[in-house]
Amino acid sequence: MAAPRLAVVCLGLLACLGQAQKPPVEITRVVVCGFNATPAECSVTEPVSNPESISGRLLSEDALCPEDERRINVNAVVLTCEPISVRVDMNLPQGAVEIIVPVPVGSKDLMIDLNGDSDFDTKVVDVDTGACIIGYSCSPCGGGGCTDLDYQGMSLTFSGDDVDNPVREVTRIGGRTTRALSIQVVAYQAASGYILASTDGIDPCPERLPGCALCSTYSGCAAREEPV
């Protein structure tokens, strides 16, 4: 009986040592989908009915924002109050942080599925405190992962930090979010990949959806013109 327990301990130590040896990365660029991201850095699509297909249609073809509002940018991620799933393709240099989407209070059953060809890291940040709560070097759910961990009334599950190609990190927040969150990706190495994000809707529906803005704030129209 002692040998199996020893093996488990050794595996745990190896995992901890591997995380400890991961070098820090200097953040050189902050990319925000819908604001300063290029199409290569943040290309948003809505998956087609076949989940195995990598093709999709641009969300900008849909009227996701209310009639009196506009989409901030063709690459802005808009989470509607109805269930939705989006795919964001990414191509980031080492040291870039990409902010995918703000997640408002009331988002139901949030799922984040990060995939890359090198060391991308998932980060979920509590907007009110600025603390990273899910991901490598985060707390309470760090690089070792967690299952149904309670944080402020939310159930956190994270597959753990993955560094080897193909990288995949899956995050689930069960129930309704009780805090405003920010989904972020850190490129510890130059990497390409994509993130799938989905929710079962938002309740209560916020006054303004993430990724939308009032038409009155649009500055691209000449006099007597209005955004359409």
Side-chain angles (χ1 to χ4, degrees):
M1 297 298 295
R5 286 198 296 269
L6 179 60
V8 171
V9 171
C10 290
L11 287 172
L13 285 174
L14 288 172
C16 293
L17 288 173
Q19 290 184 18
Q21 292 174 352
K22 187 171 179 176
V25 60
E26 180 183 359
I27 303 303
T28 57
R29 175 165 164 74
V30 177
V31 180
V32 184
C33 291
F35 288 90
N36 66 335
T38 67
E41 291 170 331
C42 180
S43 178
V44 184
T45 60
E46 182 178 8
V48 292
S49 57
N50 178 8
E52 299 301 323
S53 174
I54 62 171
S55 63
R57 57 191 175 88
L58 288 176
L59 284 177
S60 56
E61 295 174 354
D62 295 336
L64 294 180
C65 297
E67 290 185 3
D68 60 342
E69 298 182 12
R70 64 182 178 86
R71 197 167 177 211
I72 293 173
N73 182 289
V74 294
N75 288 317
V77 181
V78 178
L79 293 181
T80 67
C81 292
E82 302 301 320
I84 191 171
S85 176
V86 296
R87 170 180 168 134
V88 183
D89 291 294
M90 300 174 294
N91 184 21
L92 300 177
Q94 184 178 24
V97 175
E98 179 154 291
I99 300 175
I100 302 297
V101 62
V103 178
V105 171
S107 300
K108 295 182 288 185
D109 294 329
L110 176 67
M111 190 279 293
I112 306 161
D113 188 350
L114 175 67
N115 298 263
D117 60 7
S118 193
D119 194 2
F120 270 157
D121 274 3
T122 304
K123 299 283 185 183
V124 179
V125 174
D126 184 324
V127 173
D128 290 338
T129 66
C132 180
I133 63 171
I134 301 175
Y136 179 76
S137 293
C138 300
S139 178
C141 185
C146 62
T147 302
D148 295 330
L149 177 66
D150 180 74
Y151 174 78
Q152 298 292 328
M154 299 179 288
S155 177
L156 311 182
T157 296
F158 176 49
S159 61
D161 182 43
D162 191 358
V163 300
D164 297 320
N165 184 20
V167 166
R168 187 181 186 196
E169 298 180 2
V170 179
T171 303
R172 298 182 187 276
I173 301 179
R176 295 174 62 254
T177 54
T178 61
R179 312 275 289 184
L181 305 174
S182 175
I183 303 174
Q184 304 180 11
V185 175
V186 178
Y188 270 77
Q189 300 173 354
S192 297
Y194 63 93
I195 189 169
L196 300 174
S198 66
T199 73
D200 285 340
I202 305 172
D203 182 23
C205 189
E207 180 180 357
R208 185 154 301 112
L209 296 174
C212 297
L214 290 173
C215 287
S216 59
T217 64
Y218 185 69
S219 59
C221 293
R224 302 188 182 213
E225 292 183 338
E226 294 181 355
V228 295

